[in-house]
Short mmCIF file of all heavy atoms in Angstrom, two decimals:
data_model
loop_
_atom_site.label_atom_id
_atom_site.label_comp_id
_atom_site.label_asym_id
_atom_site.label_seq_id
_atom_site.Cartn_x
_atom_site.Cartn_y
_atom_site.Cartn_z
N THR A 733 -17.04 -24.46 5.56
CA THR A 733 -16.91 -24.04 4.18
C THR A 733 -15.56 -23.25 4.09
O THR A 733 -14.97 -23.29 2.94
CB THR A 733 -18.09 -23.08 3.90
OG1 THR A 733 -19.37 -23.74 4.07
CG2 THR A 733 -18.02 -22.59 2.38
N ILE A 734 -15.18 -22.55 5.06
CA ILE A 734 -13.91 -21.92 5.07
C ILE A 734 -12.76 -22.82 4.78
O ILE A 734 -11.86 -22.60 3.94
CB ILE A 734 -13.67 -21.10 6.34
CG1 ILE A 734 -14.60 -20.00 6.54
CG2 ILE A 734 -12.19 -20.53 6.42
CD1 ILE A 734 -14.54 -19.23 7.82
N PHE A 735 -12.82 -23.95 5.58
CA PHE A 735 -11.70 -24.99 5.40
C PHE A 735 -11.78 -25.84 4.15
O PHE A 735 -10.82 -26.50 3.85
CB PHE A 735 -11.71 -25.85 6.64
CG PHE A 735 -11.40 -25.09 7.93
CD1 PHE A 735 -12.35 -24.87 8.92
CD2 PHE A 735 -10.16 -24.51 8.20
CE1 PHE A 735 -12.11 -24.09 10.08
CE2 PHE A 735 -9.93 -23.76 9.18
CZ PHE A 735 -10.88 -23.58 10.16
N ARG A 736 -12.84 -25.69 3.42
CA ARG A 736 -12.99 -26.27 2.07
C ARG A 736 -12.10 -25.48 1.10
O ARG A 736 -11.67 -25.99 0.14
CB ARG A 736 -14.35 -26.55 1.64
CG ARG A 736 -15.08 -27.73 2.32
CD ARG A 736 -16.27 -28.13 1.49
NE ARG A 736 -17.28 -27.22 1.44
CZ ARG A 736 -18.28 -27.17 2.45
NH1 ARG A 736 -18.27 -28.06 3.45
NH2 ARG A 736 -19.27 -26.27 2.37
N HIS A 737 -11.97 -24.25 1.34
CA HIS A 737 -11.31 -23.35 0.45
C HIS A 737 -9.82 -23.03 0.95
O HIS A 737 -8.91 -22.70 0.15
CB HIS A 737 -12.06 -22.03 0.28
CG HIS A 737 -13.32 -22.24 -0.46
ND1 HIS A 737 -13.48 -22.61 -1.73
CD2 HIS A 737 -14.66 -22.18 0.11
CE1 HIS A 737 -14.72 -22.67 -2.07
NE2 HIS A 737 -15.37 -22.38 -0.97
N TYR A 738 -9.71 -22.95 2.19
CA TYR A 738 -8.36 -22.51 2.81
C TYR A 738 -8.05 -23.50 3.97
O TYR A 738 -8.83 -23.82 4.81
CB TYR A 738 -8.52 -21.13 3.45
CG TYR A 738 -8.95 -20.11 2.45
CD1 TYR A 738 -10.33 -19.75 2.38
CD2 TYR A 738 -8.08 -19.46 1.55
CE1 TYR A 738 -10.75 -18.87 1.51
CE2 TYR A 738 -8.64 -18.59 0.52
CZ TYR A 738 -10.01 -18.37 0.56
OH TYR A 738 -10.43 -17.44 -0.38
N LYS A 739 -6.75 -24.08 3.92
CA LYS A 739 -6.41 -25.10 4.89
C LYS A 739 -6.44 -24.61 6.34
O LYS A 739 -6.73 -25.39 7.19
CB LYS A 739 -5.00 -25.70 4.53
CG LYS A 739 -5.04 -26.46 3.23
CD LYS A 739 -3.55 -27.06 3.01
CE LYS A 739 -3.59 -27.82 1.64
NZ LYS A 739 -2.19 -28.33 1.42
N THR A 740 -5.95 -23.28 6.48
CA THR A 740 -5.93 -22.74 7.81
C THR A 740 -6.30 -21.24 7.72
O THR A 740 -6.48 -20.67 6.62
CB THR A 740 -4.39 -22.79 8.37
OG1 THR A 740 -3.58 -21.88 7.44
CG2 THR A 740 -3.91 -24.17 8.41
N LYS A 741 -6.54 -20.67 8.90
CA LYS A 741 -6.84 -19.24 8.92
C LYS A 741 -5.72 -18.45 8.38
O LYS A 741 -5.92 -17.47 7.60
CB LYS A 741 -7.06 -18.80 10.44
CG LYS A 741 -7.55 -17.39 10.49
CD LYS A 741 -7.90 -17.04 12.00
CE LYS A 741 -6.67 -16.98 12.83
NZ LYS A 741 -6.93 -16.41 14.20
N LYS A 742 -4.40 -18.86 8.58
CA LYS A 742 -3.32 -18.11 7.97
C LYS A 742 -3.35 -18.18 6.51
O LYS A 742 -2.90 -17.20 5.80
CB LYS A 742 -1.97 -18.69 8.52
CG LYS A 742 -0.73 -17.93 8.03
CD LYS A 742 0.47 -18.27 8.80
CE LYS A 742 1.65 -17.50 8.45
NZ LYS A 742 2.84 -17.74 9.08
N ASP A 743 -3.68 -19.32 5.90
CA ASP A 743 -3.81 -19.37 4.39
C ASP A 743 -4.71 -18.36 3.91
O ASP A 743 -4.57 -17.74 2.84
CB ASP A 743 -4.23 -20.77 4.03
CG ASP A 743 -3.08 -21.80 4.12
OD1 ASP A 743 -1.98 -21.44 4.14
OD2 ASP A 743 -3.42 -23.04 4.15
N LEU A 744 -5.90 -18.13 4.58
CA LEU A 744 -6.86 -17.18 4.27
C LEU A 744 -6.20 -15.76 4.30
O LEU A 744 -6.39 -14.99 3.39
CB LEU A 744 -8.08 -17.23 5.18
CG LEU A 744 -9.18 -16.13 4.99
CD1 LEU A 744 -9.64 -16.07 3.59
CD2 LEU A 744 -10.34 -16.39 5.90
N LEU A 745 -5.49 -15.44 5.38
CA LEU A 745 -4.80 -14.17 5.57
C LEU A 745 -3.88 -13.96 4.34
O LEU A 745 -3.74 -12.94 3.78
CB LEU A 745 -4.03 -14.06 6.81
CG LEU A 745 -3.07 -12.94 7.00
CD1 LEU A 745 -3.88 -11.67 7.21
CD2 LEU A 745 -2.17 -13.14 8.23
N ILE A 746 -2.98 -14.93 4.16
CA ILE A 746 -1.93 -14.83 3.09
C ILE A 746 -2.66 -14.61 1.71
O ILE A 746 -2.19 -13.80 0.91
CB ILE A 746 -1.08 -16.07 3.05
CG1 ILE A 746 -0.23 -16.08 4.31
CG2 ILE A 746 -0.09 -16.01 1.91
CD1 ILE A 746 0.58 -14.88 4.72
N SER A 747 -3.76 -15.35 1.49
CA SER A 747 -4.53 -15.20 0.25
C SER A 747 -4.98 -13.74 -0.10
O SER A 747 -5.18 -13.38 -1.18
CB SER A 747 -5.63 -16.22 0.20
OG SER A 747 -6.80 -15.70 0.89
N ILE A 748 -5.22 -12.96 1.02
CA ILE A 748 -5.72 -11.69 0.90
C ILE A 748 -4.53 -10.72 0.91
O ILE A 748 -4.48 -9.77 0.10
CB ILE A 748 -6.60 -11.32 2.12
CG1 ILE A 748 -7.91 -12.12 2.21
CG2 ILE A 748 -6.84 -9.85 2.21
CD1 ILE A 748 -8.69 -12.05 3.55
N VAL A 749 -3.55 -10.93 1.66
CA VAL A 749 -2.43 -9.85 1.84
C VAL A 749 -1.44 -9.87 0.69
O VAL A 749 -1.09 -8.93 0.15
CB VAL A 749 -1.65 -10.13 3.15
CG1 VAL A 749 -0.46 -9.21 3.26
CG2 VAL A 749 -2.53 -9.80 4.35
N LEU A 750 -1.06 -11.11 0.18
CA LEU A 750 -0.11 -11.21 -0.81
C LEU A 750 -0.59 -10.41 -2.14
O LEU A 750 0.19 -9.82 -2.81
CB LEU A 750 0.39 -12.55 -1.17
CG LEU A 750 1.10 -13.22 0.10
CD1 LEU A 750 1.78 -14.61 -0.45
CD2 LEU A 750 2.26 -12.30 0.63
N PRO A 751 -1.82 -10.61 -2.52
CA PRO A 751 -2.32 -9.79 -3.76
C PRO A 751 -2.11 -8.38 -3.58
O PRO A 751 -1.92 -7.62 -4.42
CB PRO A 751 -3.67 -10.26 -3.97
CG PRO A 751 -3.78 -11.68 -3.39
CD PRO A 751 -2.80 -11.54 -2.15
N VAL A 752 -2.27 -7.75 -2.25
CA VAL A 752 -2.10 -6.46 -2.07
C VAL A 752 -0.69 -5.97 -2.38
O VAL A 752 -0.50 -4.83 -3.00
CB VAL A 752 -2.40 -6.11 -0.47
CG1 VAL A 752 -2.19 -4.61 -0.20
CG2 VAL A 752 -3.79 -6.53 -0.12
N ILE A 753 0.20 -6.85 -2.06
CA ILE A 753 1.62 -6.53 -2.46
C ILE A 753 1.99 -6.92 -3.90
O ILE A 753 2.44 -6.09 -4.60
CB ILE A 753 2.65 -7.41 -1.51
CG1 ILE A 753 2.33 -7.07 -0.08
CG2 ILE A 753 4.01 -7.17 -1.93
CD1 ILE A 753 3.14 -8.01 0.87
N SER A 754 1.53 -8.13 -4.35
CA SER A 754 1.90 -8.57 -5.58
C SER A 754 1.20 -7.93 -6.76
O SER A 754 1.79 -7.41 -7.77
CB SER A 754 1.76 -10.08 -5.70
OG SER A 754 0.50 -10.51 -5.68
N LYS A 755 -0.26 -7.91 -6.62
CA LYS A 755 -0.92 -7.28 -7.73
C LYS A 755 -1.06 -5.81 -7.64
O LYS A 755 -0.96 -5.11 -8.60
CB LYS A 755 -2.43 -7.89 -7.72
CG LYS A 755 -3.16 -7.58 -8.98
CD LYS A 755 -2.66 -8.14 -10.24
CE LYS A 755 -3.54 -7.92 -11.50
NZ LYS A 755 -2.94 -8.52 -12.62
N PHE A 756 -1.31 -5.27 -6.49
CA PHE A 756 -1.31 -3.84 -6.30
C PHE A 756 0.03 -3.19 -6.24
O PHE A 756 0.29 -2.08 -6.76
CB PHE A 756 -2.16 -3.49 -4.94
CG PHE A 756 -3.54 -3.67 -5.13
CD1 PHE A 756 -4.31 -4.59 -4.39
CD2 PHE A 756 -4.40 -2.93 -6.03
CE1 PHE A 756 -5.65 -4.83 -4.43
CE2 PHE A 756 -5.67 -3.02 -6.16
CZ PHE A 756 -6.41 -3.97 -5.32
N ALA A 757 0.88 -3.90 -5.56
CA ALA A 757 2.28 -3.23 -5.30
C ALA A 757 3.22 -3.50 -6.30
O ALA A 757 3.99 -2.65 -6.69
CB ALA A 757 2.79 -3.66 -3.86
N VAL A 758 3.15 -4.68 -6.96
CA VAL A 758 4.14 -4.95 -7.97
C VAL A 758 3.79 -4.27 -9.31
O VAL A 758 4.45 -3.32 -9.76
CB VAL A 758 4.43 -6.40 -8.11
CG1 VAL A 758 5.42 -6.72 -9.37
CG2 VAL A 758 5.09 -7.00 -6.83
N PRO A 759 2.63 -4.76 -9.98
CA PRO A 759 2.35 -4.17 -11.26
C PRO A 759 1.93 -2.62 -11.09
O PRO A 759 2.34 -1.88 -11.90
CB PRO A 759 1.18 -4.90 -11.83
CG PRO A 759 1.25 -6.23 -11.04
CD PRO A 759 1.82 -5.90 -9.69
N PHE A 760 1.03 -2.41 -10.04
CA PHE A 760 0.52 -1.08 -9.89
C PHE A 760 1.58 -0.13 -9.34
O PHE A 760 1.79 0.92 -9.97
CB PHE A 760 -0.68 -1.10 -9.08
CG PHE A 760 -1.38 0.35 -8.82
CD1 PHE A 760 -1.91 0.77 -9.89
CD2 PHE A 760 -1.24 0.87 -7.61
CE1 PHE A 760 -2.64 2.07 -9.73
CE2 PHE A 760 -1.84 2.15 -7.45
CZ PHE A 760 -2.55 2.65 -8.48
N PHE A 761 2.23 -0.53 -8.22
CA PHE A 761 3.20 0.30 -7.46
C PHE A 761 4.48 0.45 -8.25
O PHE A 761 5.06 1.51 -8.48
CB PHE A 761 3.39 -0.10 -6.12
CG PHE A 761 4.20 0.75 -5.25
CD1 PHE A 761 3.71 2.03 -4.82
CD2 PHE A 761 5.38 0.46 -5.09
CE1 PHE A 761 4.48 2.83 -4.11
CE2 PHE A 761 6.27 1.34 -4.28
CZ PHE A 761 5.85 2.53 -3.70
N ALA A 762 5.02 -0.73 -8.65
CA ALA A 762 6.34 -0.71 -9.27
C ALA A 762 6.48 -0.60 -10.74
O ALA A 762 7.53 -0.22 -11.26
CB ALA A 762 7.11 -2.05 -8.75
N GLU A 763 5.46 -0.91 -11.38
CA GLU A 763 5.34 -0.79 -12.95
C GLU A 763 4.59 0.41 -13.39
O GLU A 763 5.07 1.36 -13.81
CB GLU A 763 5.05 -2.09 -13.49
CG GLU A 763 6.01 -3.24 -13.20
CD GLU A 763 5.52 -4.69 -13.85
OE1 GLU A 763 4.59 -4.59 -14.62
OE2 GLU A 763 6.10 -5.48 -13.39
N LYS A 764 3.25 0.16 -13.34
CA LYS A 764 2.31 1.22 -13.84
C LYS A 764 2.59 2.49 -13.09
O LYS A 764 2.76 3.58 -13.71
CB LYS A 764 0.82 0.80 -13.63
CG LYS A 764 -0.19 1.72 -14.00
CD LYS A 764 -1.55 1.24 -13.75
CE LYS A 764 -2.62 2.36 -14.09
NZ LYS A 764 -3.96 1.85 -13.82
N PHE A 765 2.57 2.45 -11.84
CA PHE A 765 2.79 3.67 -10.94
C PHE A 765 4.19 4.31 -11.21
O PHE A 765 4.26 5.48 -11.39
CB PHE A 765 2.55 3.34 -9.53
CG PHE A 765 3.06 4.32 -8.56
CD1 PHE A 765 2.42 5.73 -8.54
CD2 PHE A 765 3.99 4.13 -7.54
CE1 PHE A 765 2.83 6.69 -7.71
CE2 PHE A 765 4.45 5.07 -6.67
CZ PHE A 765 3.82 6.37 -6.78
N LEU A 766 5.27 3.56 -11.12
CA LEU A 766 6.50 4.14 -11.17
C LEU A 766 6.89 4.58 -12.59
O LEU A 766 7.59 5.49 -12.72
CB LEU A 766 7.56 3.04 -10.67
CG LEU A 766 7.59 2.74 -9.25
CD1 LEU A 766 8.74 1.85 -8.82
CD2 LEU A 766 7.85 4.17 -8.38
N ASN A 767 6.31 3.86 -13.51
CA ASN A 767 6.49 4.37 -14.95
C ASN A 767 5.91 5.73 -15.11
O ASN A 767 6.39 6.55 -15.86
CB ASN A 767 5.95 3.29 -15.95
CG ASN A 767 6.76 2.17 -16.10
OD1 ASN A 767 8.01 2.22 -15.85
ND2 ASN A 767 6.17 1.06 -16.59
N GLU A 768 4.72 5.89 -14.47
CA GLU A 768 4.08 7.24 -14.45
C GLU A 768 4.80 8.30 -13.66
O GLU A 768 5.07 9.32 -14.26
CB GLU A 768 2.63 7.06 -13.88
CG GLU A 768 1.91 8.38 -13.74
CD GLU A 768 0.75 8.34 -12.86
OE1 GLU A 768 0.08 7.05 -12.85
OE2 GLU A 768 0.22 9.21 -12.24
N VAL A 769 5.30 7.95 -12.56
CA VAL A 769 5.84 8.88 -11.70
C VAL A 769 7.29 9.18 -12.15
O VAL A 769 7.61 10.34 -12.21
CB VAL A 769 5.95 8.38 -10.25
CG1 VAL A 769 6.84 9.21 -9.48
CG2 VAL A 769 4.59 8.31 -9.58
N PHE A 770 8.03 8.27 -12.61
CA PHE A 770 9.40 8.52 -12.94
C PHE A 770 9.55 8.65 -14.42
O PHE A 770 10.67 8.48 -15.03
CB PHE A 770 10.29 7.33 -12.43
CG PHE A 770 10.34 7.24 -10.89
CD1 PHE A 770 10.25 6.17 -10.25
CD2 PHE A 770 10.45 8.44 -10.22
CE1 PHE A 770 10.29 6.15 -8.80
CE2 PHE A 770 10.46 8.51 -8.88
CZ PHE A 770 10.44 7.30 -8.13
#
Side-chain angles (χ1 to χ4, degrees):
T733 304
I734 295 176
F735 296 111
R736 283 201 290 273
H737 295 288
Y738 306 96
K739 292 181 180 179
T740 65
K741 183 177 69 168
K742 183 170 181 176
D743 285 340
L744 175 56
L745 171 70
I746 296 300
S747 77
I748 293 168
V749 173
L750 292 191
V752 178
I753 299 171
S754 64
K755 191 65 175 179
F756 285 115
V758 176
F760 181 70
F761 185 76
E763 293 176 15
K764 179 182 175 182
F765 167 60
L766 288 182
N767 285 338
E768 172 191 334
V769 169
F770 294 138

